[in-house]
């Protein structure tokens, strides 16, 4: 605790995930006043065909 | 807002996702009285080995 | 299967959830070609202080 | 209902998922006093690059 | 890792959650071959008005 | 997209959520190279009785 689930469009690099994980952990730890070790993050990658906004798939835009 | 996450068995086509996204967005928009543009949908595809009902995997049925 | 999770701002009525559940189940059943009985929906209500878009809480708008 | 979502590191075998599904369904059914048939479980597999603890990706450990 | 999210109908007691947490952690640890300390479980309680199966709210059954 | 779900122990203030939302949105926007307006965050508050680590509820620690 806290647990963070991040849904992303496929294609983000490991470097981007590494940087997001590091920085988001710092924010949650500092603002939430919990040790960094307790901050867990999961990235769930999704193809553009699996994301819709306003009724239109991302792959159709 | 609203955000809709739909867990599906792998194998649904893009056409099926497109039609579901369009129609579910219309329902949520009309019934919830929010602009369509604010309705977000994610599809999470899962293999049959990753779904269990009553203690039995879908792949064993 | 399929499983649908819908995150909503607090305050939608039971009538609205009933109508959404009925209509979304019909869409998923018809388009996905699964019996209605297999369509499960969960509504997760969230206060405006717990939703952010573009870095701003809904309660601050 | 109940619905159980389990996020796992990629690489667990179907045998492991089968055994987990069977045993967790039994626990939830007995303790929760619901028929086994109503217990649904989804496994979401994630690569080590998509999991962070304490700000460090599992793939970097 | 692993992370387990359990959606339950409101009304389960703390004793039931304690027993489920203990037993599910044991199952996941033994079958998944991970230390118990790495098994995390979240319970999300939902009212009967927020759960639909086959298009009908639990509160209407 | 991206969508961020954060599970927190109950009791964080609106100020803490506001600051987390602002800073996490900035991180995701900059590292992920997406406009801030596309970053959505949901906070799900959970009581200590609903969180288990290593088989023990947070409320029992």
């Amino acid at each position: 605790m806290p647990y963070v689930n991040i849904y992303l469009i496929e294609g983000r690099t490991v470097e981007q995930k590494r940087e997001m994980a590091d920085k988001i952990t710092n924010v949650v730890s500092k603002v939430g006043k919990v040790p960094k070790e307790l901050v867990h993050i999961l990235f769930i990658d999704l193809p553009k065909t699996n994301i819709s906004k306003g009724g239109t798939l991302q792959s159709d835009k």
Side-chain angles (χ1 to χ4, degrees), chain A:
Chain A
M1 203 67 167
Y3 302 100
V4 182
N5 289 180
I6 305 181
Y7 296 84
L8 292 169
I9 293 184
E10 273 181 0
R12 306 301 162 90
T13 64
V14 176
E15 286 70 24
Q16 284 177 303
K17 291 175 185 170
R18 183 181 291 119
E19 189 177 348
M20 277 193 207
D22 175 52
K23 291 185 173 170
I24 291 173
T25 298
N26 278 328
V27 167
V28 173
S29 171
K30 280 178 194 163
V31 179
K33 290 172 186 158
V34 292
K36 284 178 60 172
E37 210 47 34
L38 297 187
V39 181
H40 302 260
I41 301 177
L42 303 180
F43 295 101
I44 296 105
D45 295 315
L46 294 172
K48 286 191 174 184
T49 56
N50 285 26
I51 305 162
S52 164
K53 189 185 165 197
T56 304
L57 300 182
Q58 289 294 107
S59 53
D60 290 341
K61 287 186 176 172

